[in-house]
Amino acid sequence: MMNIQLEKPVFYRNEFALRFELGPDDVDIWLDDDRKNYNEQYFEIAMSRALSIYEAVFKPSDKIKVCYQIFSDGRKKIRKSDYFFKLFKPLYDKKLVFSEHRDIYTEDLEYKRHCWKRVTISDLNVSELNIKPIIQACIDGDFGDRGPTLAGQLFIINCDKELIYHLYDDRGLDVAASSKCALEDLYQNQNQLLLDYDKQYMDSLFK
C-alpha cells in the first residue's frame, strides 16, 4: 500500500496532509444551556463541508478502498453485527479482508495480545458508495443519541490519487497523500475551510 499511515491524527502522522474544520466556530451545537436540544444548523453545516471536501477529493470513477479499524485487547473483534456492516452492506460481494496490525498506535500496545483489528473492502468505485449516511455516522460519533455511529476509525482511500480521507468527528477531517501535488487542487479550492490552528504550516507546505 501507499506510504500513508492509517493512524490518528492523520494530519500529524503524515508529511503531506490538510486539516479541515467542519463544525463552525460561530454556531453552537446546542440550542439551550441544558444541552438537551441539538442545533441542527451546526450539523447541517458540518455535513455540507464534509461533502464538498469529499466531492473535491473523489471523482465517481476513482478506484477506492475502505478501511475500518478498532482497538482490540485480543478478544474484541469486528463483528458482522457492527453498524459498519449495515452501512456497507451493498458492498458484500466485494473483496473483504480482515487483518491485525501492531505497527500503528504502538504506545497503546502494552501486551502481545493487543492489536488493531482492521477490515478492508477493496475493488470499489466511488459511485458505489452511499456516502451521506457514512459521513453522518462519523459526524455523530460523539452524539450517539442522534443516530447510529461507528465505534472504530474509518479511512476512505483513493487508490488512483494515493490519498486518504479521514473524518475524525464533528469538528474536522484530515486528507493525507503520498505526494504534495495530489493535494494541490484541494488546498487551493477548499482553502476557506482549512483549520486556522494549523493554517500556517499548511501554507508553508504549498508556498
Side-chain angles (χ1 to χ4, degrees):
M1 204 181 103
M2 62 194 94
N3 59 338
I4 304 175
Q5 195 73 323
L6 298 188
E7 187 175 344
K8 287 169 66 178
V10 167
F11 178 74
Y12 296 113
R13 292 277 195 266
N14 293 279
E15 186 183 355
F16 305 113
L18 296 171
R19 175 158 274 203
F20 297 93
E21 182 171 33
L22 295 184
D25 267 353
D26 54 349
V27 179
D28 208 320
I29 294 175
W30 305 96
L31 287 174
D32 49 8
D33 293 339
D34 298 338
R35 298 190 164 200
K36 289 199 172 129
N37 297 295
Y38 290 113
N39 182 357
E40 287 306 320
Q41 189 196 359
Y42 174 89
F43 293 94
E44 282 161 16
I45 292 170
M47 166 62 85
S48 129
R49 289 176 174 185
L51 266 178
S52 74
I53 295 161
Y54 178 85
E55 284 160 4
V57 168
F58 300 98
K59 297 292 167 265
S61 59
D62 285 349
K63 282 266 179 284
I64 58 165
K65 56 180 162 187
V66 172
C67 292
Y68 175 71
Q69 61 193 27
I70 61 165
F71 176 72
S72 173
D73 55 4
R75 291 188 301 273
K76 197 174 177 194
K77 292 189 173 85
I78 295 174
R79 302 183 188 284
K80 285 283 174 84
S81 57
D82 291 353
Y83 183 56
F84 170 81
F85 284 104
K86 291 191 176 66
L87 264 182
F88 289 90
K89 197 172 182 184
L91 308 175
Y92 270 17
D93 58 336
K94 298 291 174 181
K95 191 176 165 196
L96 225 66
V97 175
F98 291 86
S99 54
E100 290 185 2
H101 299 266
R102 291 179 172 80
D103 59 336
I104 53 170
Y105 301 109
T106 47
E107 65 277 8
D108 293 350
L109 308 180
E110 292 168 25
Y111 302 99
K112 276 187 179 171
R113 63 179 180 274
H114 284 184
C115 67
W116 281 79
K117 304 260 187 189
R118 182 184 294 167
V119 58
T120 304
I121 310 176
S122 305
D123 300 334
L124 296 175
N125 280 346
V126 170
S127 56
E128 295 175 89
L129 226 54
N130 181 12
I131 195 62
K132 272 194 176 174
I134 296 167
I135 288 178
Q136 195 68 63
C138 295
I139 287 175
D140 290 344
D142 292 332
F143 309 99
D145 54 344
R146 282 180 52 78
T149 65
L150 290 167
Q153 303 167 359
L154 183 74
F155 304 90
I156 304 173
I157 300 167
N158 190 321
C159 304
D160 295 337
K161 294 177 184 162
E162 294 207 352
L163 53 75
I164 66 169
Y165 174 100
H166 172 63
L167 199 167
Y168 49 88
D169 60 28
D170 62 288
R171 292 167 302 165
L173 71 82
D174 293 337
V175 178
S178 294
S179 68
K180 189 169 81 167
C181 64
L183 296 173
E184 198 93 51
D185 284 351
L186 192 62
Y187 169 77
Q188 303 292 349
N189 301 335
Q190 301 286 333
N191 200 280
Q192 74 286 1
L193 295 182
L194 293 173
L195 186 69
D196 267 352
Y197 183 79
D198 295 296
K199 185 89 164 50
Q200 207 175 347
Y201 168 76
M202 292 184 273
D203 288 342
S204 71
L205 197 61
F206 290 94
K207 277 282 185 289

